Amino acid sequence: MTAESKPIIDVQNVSFTYDGASRPALSSVGLTVREGDFLGIIGPSGAGKSTLIYSMNGIIPHYCKGDFFGSVLLGGNDTFETSLTDLSRIAATVFQDIDAQMVASMVEDEILFGLENFGVSRAEIEPRMAEALESVGISDLRHRAISSLSGGQKQKVAVAAVLALKPRVLLLDEPTGALDPASSRQIFELLRELNESCGITVVVVEQKIGLLAEFTRHLAVLSDGAVRYCGETRSVLRNAAELLAIGVNVPRVTTLSLLLHEEGYAVDRFAVNVEEAKSLIEGIVA
């Protein structure tokens, strides 16, 4: 992504209240995601993170009912005026409940389902299927039953199924919620590879701040339906005290960097992982 990249998602002063709710899930949210970005969204429970994803892909206002104000442009298309089918050709979504998202019993059929429903020609189906499976490293699972897969493998199948549709944007709602640390990291490494090698814009809601800190370029922090911080990931994490106050943890290595900086040590780059913290401390000691 470059500074000249065009906006691919433009959330303009959006407010949304679900039918029957006493308060808005989103309140005057403004957020721009540029082509090729890797954006993380974090916030305490009930902050509006999933609702924001649903507004980006058009589920709001087409499917979820409520009072919707403002506008969202996805690839230049107003989500209010564009059908869900057309919007899903631009942005594909991987939801939090993977088992509920699966529609087939076999891996091959899961990927085939989307291709057939999007009217992809028979000549294109096989190359797309093979490419999608290879891109997430699960070609060997093609003929496996989905029920026999691990949580991490199911996540990769879900990603492969949407990649086969060749979206410009990949939206993920807490993709590692049910995964162990090793599998969670594999998913984020996959997302980084898709972002850097394929140019796919990635927007991911995630509670594991360590992963967001290490892998994302930009970070948006939500609280009570509003965007409290949004910017370059390391810059956002410098607001450690404020983030903790609204219920968002900060990586311990970043907190260490802040403490060293406050003590007067030269900290040019705040650490987001153990390796960076090690290098920072070695530099100070030297």
Side-chain angles (χ1 to χ4, degrees):
M1 187 190 70
T2 66
E4 294 76 25
S5 298
K6 296 180 180 178
I8 185 70
I9 303 173
D10 197 4
V11 181
Q12 302 175 348
N13 198 33
V14 166
S15 296
F16 182 75
T17 304
Y18 290 98
D19 278 351
S22 59
R23 63 184 182 89
L26 294 178
S27 181
S28 301
V29 170
L31 183 69
T32 298
V33 184
R34 295 188 175 276
E35 284 188 303
D37 200 358
F38 192 156
L39 171 71
I41 300 175
I42 197 167
S45 178
K49 304 181 295 296
S50 294
T51 304
L52 180 56
I53 289 289
Y54 297 159
S55 72
M56 289 178 172
N57 63 16
I59 288 179
I60 293 174
H62 289 291
Y63 183 77
C64 296
K65 302 303 180 184
D67 296 323
F68 178 86
F69 300 96
S71 64
V72 179
L73 300 179
L74 177 61
N77 301 280
D78 191 320
T79 58
F80 193 86
E81 300 174 350
T82 309
S83 70
L84 271 175
T85 299
D86 288 338
L87 293 173
S88 62
R89 297 179 188 277
I90 303 170
T93 307
V94 177
F95 297 97
Q96 185 175 0
D97 189 344
I98 289 298
D99 288 326
Q101 183 170 345
M102 299 294 181
V103 297
S105 60
M106 305 296 291
V107 171
E108 183 177 64
D109 293 336
E110 181 68 27
I111 299 172
L112 183 63
F113 178 83
L115 293 171
E116 289 183 336
N117 277 273
F118 270 70
V120 176
S121 68
R122 288 190 173 276
E124 283 189 75
I125 284 179
E126 174 56 33
R128 283 205 193 189
M129 185 180 298
E131 181 182 3
L133 289 167
E134 183 178 356
S135 67
V136 299
I138 57 169
S139 297
D140 58 321
L141 302 182
R142 176 168 179 163
H143 302 293
R144 287 273 297 277
I146 290 175
S147 60
S148 71
L149 304 181
S150 67
Q153 289 172 328
K154 288 180 182 179
Q155 285 285 11
K156 290 183 178 181
V157 171
V159 173
V162 297
L163 286 180
L165 304 176
K166 296 189 177 299
R168 295 165 62 189
V169 180
L170 188 57
L171 305 171
L172 304 100
D173 189 7
E174 299 201 31
T176 72
L179 302 182
D180 59 68
S183 298
S184 298
R185 187 173 186 82
Q186 285 181 356
I187 293 299
F188 266 80
E189 287 174 345
L190 168 61
L191 295 178
R192 180 161 61 185
E193 176 68 18
L194 295 172
N195 174 252
E196 294 180 352
S197 298
C198 304
I200 296 175
T201 304
V202 177
V203 179
V204 56
V205 170
E206 180 58 67
Q207 294 290 2
K208 297 172 182 174
I209 186 65
L211 290 173
L212 293 180
E214 184 173 353
F215 286 90
T216 62
R217 292 194 188 93
H218 292 90
L219 194 63
V221 180
L222 268 63
S223 177
D224 295 325
V227 176
R228 302 301 181 186
Y229 295 97
C230 187
E232 192 270 336
T233 297
R234 293 175 193 269
S235 296
V236 170
L237 292 175
R238 292 175 72 115
N239 302 287
E242 293 84 353
L243 295 176
L244 288 170
I246 63 176
V248 174
N249 290 321
V250 174
R252 293 179 181 178
V253 291
T254 305
T255 302
L256 174 62
S257 301
L258 285 165
L259 291 172
L260 291 170
H261 177 70
E262 291 171 357
E263 290 296 322
Y265 292 100
V267 180
D268 297 328
R269 183 179 175 87
F270 282 50
V272 296
N273 56 46
V274 174
E275 289 74 19
E276 290 184 358
K278 178 176 179 289
S279 176
L280 172 62
I281 293 172
E282 286 176 344
I284 291 174
V285 172

